[in-house]
Amino acid sequence: MHLGRFHAVVYDLNSHFIRAQLAQKLEACATQLEQFASNRTQSQLESFRSSVDAVLSAAELKDPDLLQPFAQQVIADMNVADILPPAFNSSVKSAIEEKSFDPAGLVTEFRRLANVVAKKVAHVSSIDDAFTALDVEFERVGSESAEVGFLLPREVVGETLKDLTGEFNQLSKLVRAVNELVGAADYDPRVVTISSSWWQVFLDLDPNQILVWVLAIERISNLFKSNLEIKHLQRQLGEKQVASEITELLDREIEKRVAAALQDLAVEIRRDHAKIADDARLNEVETQLRHGLYYLAKRMNQGAQIEINVGIPEEPNAPQSDSDEGPPDVEFQARLAEAKARIAKLRDLRTRARAASAETLNLDTSAHLLLTQDLHIEQQPNGSSR
């Protein structure tokens, strides 16, 4: 795990817990419940319900960065998932359901949860304070930058130098195809960070490239959802001892549909984003892109996660002008409007990128789509592929 990215997640977690004040709100729930148990008034019951609503609302993660794949891995490794939703909210609701007729027991449970939360939050705060005091590196995408990260399970990729060389070669082909297709300044992007709890590689990209990556992740995620329904049907047929010929036909149908969808995606990316004038070279890059998308889909189906981060520049402001200085500079106002429009587009892209990244955490990988063979691409007489 990369230390600078870990530091950024710890900082975000600590900020969340400072805002949420979960231990204090759990104690308020316990106090309200004790008062209700003593007097049994409707107003005290309503106060208790309001306190419960307050703690559940406060627990919700407002920071979208904490919902991204790398942050979720840190949360799991730090064993703090139990004091974050959905686990924390489930614990509170389960306690209420199980002890709804035992106010004293529920008070005890709320205070036990408050104690657990307080101890773990104190540890997170201590780490953040220590890292800050020691000036430990802090890694987050810059305001003028963008990046895509590939979080690859070690058990899928392997652990030898040969395994990593082959994996990075496949990844490099895909990244190079996208970069050349969109006319990026760098054919080989710079590696921002690399770490090895999983194989986690973040690459520095131009924001103009990000839309292609977002589109690819969205389409592959949706492709899995639609075809996994067929895959689950196939598994059910197998459990009912339906003839293997039928289940094998389903396998081949899924494989054909996935391959066709990925080829269609490559065609769409070429049509809408290509900046290559040479048709022969464009055909070659499209073929490379198709193979790369197939590799990416295969890894995602095996549990890989993708994280796309987009930095947002600071919003420019018009300078304060004195009325005696005359009318505002028209050219300056035009540049200002253009900059604001660009920032607005980047914000929309960041929102979409975060949603696509978070979706890779939710893919059902229990039923593999059998993306095991090389993608077959037929060549047309004119040199183009289909």
Side-chain angles (χ1 to χ4, degrees), residues 218-233 253-254 257-258 261 359 363-364 367 369:
E218 288 174 339
R219 290 294 180 82
I220 292 173
S221 296
N222 289 333
L223 182 62
F224 286 164
K225 289 178 183 177
S226 61
N227 284 282
L228 278 174
E229 293 175 2
I230 301 175
K231 193 66 179 176
H232 286 309
L233 173 61
E253 177 62 23
I254 292 172
R257 288 180 57 175
V258 170
E359 192 63 35
L363 295 179
D364 182 357
L369 296 186

Side-chain angles (χ1 to χ4, degrees), residues 5 168 188-195 200-204:
R5 291 188 185 275
F168 289 162
D188 281 309
R190 180 178 65 90
V191 176
V192 181
T193 63
I194 186 169
S195 47
Q200 301 165 331
V201 185
F202 282 79
L203 305 177
D204 181 32

Side-chain angles (χ1 to χ4, degrees), residues 2-8 127-139:
H2 187 268
L3 184 61
R5 291 188 185 275
F6 174 77
H7 187 186
I127 296 172
D128 186 43
D129 290 343
F131 276 25
T132 301
L134 295 171
D135 198 25
V136 172
E137 63 178 316
F138 187 99
E139 183 66 45

